[in-house]
Amino acid sequence: MLVVGATLPELEIPNTHWFHCDGLANYYGFEVFGDEHWAAIDHFLGAARGISANTILTPVWTPPLDTAVDHYRTATQLIVITDVGQDEYVFDFTALRRWMERCRAHGFQYLEIAHLFTQWGAKATPAIHVQTDAGLERRFGWHVAATDPRYRRFLEQMIPELRTLLTTEWGLENVFFHISDEPTPEDFDGYAAARAVVSDLLEGCTIVDAISDFGLYKRGVVPEPVAATDHAAAFFDAGVRPWLYYCVAQDTNVSNRFIALPSPRNRVIGAQLFKFEARGFLHWGFNFYNAAKSLTTIDPFTDTCANRAFPGGDPFLVYPGPGGQPLPSIRYRVFAEAMGDLRAMQVVRDHHGAARVRKIIDPDGSLALDAFPNDAVHYRRVFHQLALAVQEFTEA
């Protein structure tokens, strides 16, 4: 065993695995944002850092993800919003500040604000709850269109206050906003209309969305794309450096972390991110414990595929253990190794140059997003060689 006296640096790129607060509340039966829920959130945030995640999906309102039309997930909304009459709102950011404090304590660098519009076309607004004299009301949701003037008036009040908070207490340059997840070419008009609703309010902010159709990207509505690994070649060939993601559909030839896949297909993502100089990595399921479209909850110990909707292992990397403690999967541990590889590559590049790294991870130049070694020994050898390269300057 080679022991090198060096500490690996943090990742240089955003690395996010979407964090689902409702999964913890539902599985354990905790009151949303009660003390037990916060404790579990804290444990799971720590587990996310264990795979070098440095970016966290933040439920300022319940993320409108993986939710069937006219159906709603358990509400996990950090901002308390009060209607004071005549379309005027007051915002309480106490819980969001607590969230940021815990994320900061764990070492997260970036926040992702929950999507501003529904998934698969940006047709409607997210479920946003408002305190009224009559009680808590779901003011926005599937029943309110994306371009409804009432939503715009709400956002005109909410976004400036949220921006001020993020600027002063986190750093707006370290915040990502989302419009809608995974628009297709058929969704262009709806996505463009939704983006227009908030474009002036988000002036100067970074907007990131998953988008795999390069033709849709060229139409200019998603300047910071997150491309699926089996569609990213068109972006790289055109000189565009997207973030990368994979999920249920990336099941052939490319990297992924399904239970049925051999571990090399999980670990290679570190080398791929380095070679192609991807701008970030995203996965949708760190702890998604719902059935597909969140129609019901699941027991992840007996259902690893969201009620037979996805390949086993796609929805989550960690299991909910006793006492709100996460239990890591083998896939979690392998992905952590992949990020360790990438962090070591950063060190070797800084001291020996990128060419030295490429010689180690891709000596014959054959590494591609859909072509890579499937031999587990190869990845152990690569990390050993990276460690030797680090040792050269640490002992010089």
Side-chain angles (χ1 to χ4, degrees), residues 272-285:
Q272 292 172 328
L273 289 167
F274 182 91
K275 177 173 179 176
F276 294 100
E277 299 181 344
R279 294 174 61 87
F281 180 81
L282 181 152
H283 193 281
W284 74 279

Side-chain angles (χ1 to χ4, degrees), residues 268 272 275-276 358-359 361-374 378:
V268 69
Q272 292 172 328
K275 177 173 179 176
F276 294 100
R358 289 193 293 270
K359 183 178 180 180
I361 67 171
D362 186 28
D364 61 1
S366 64
L367 178 65
L369 292 174
D370 60 357
F372 44 84
N374 285 304
H378 164 82

Side-chain angles (χ1 to χ4, degrees), residues 2 22 26 32 88 96 109 128-129 132 135 204 217-219 253 272 287 341 344 353 357 362:
L2 175 64
D22 63 330
N26 292 336
V32 172
E88 296 291 329
L96 177 56
Q109 182 178 353
I128 297 178
H129 291 77
T132 72
Y217 164 77
K218 290 194 296 183
R219 300 177 75 175
N253 296 329
Q272 292 172 328
N287 61 325
D341 295 343
V357 179
D362 186 28

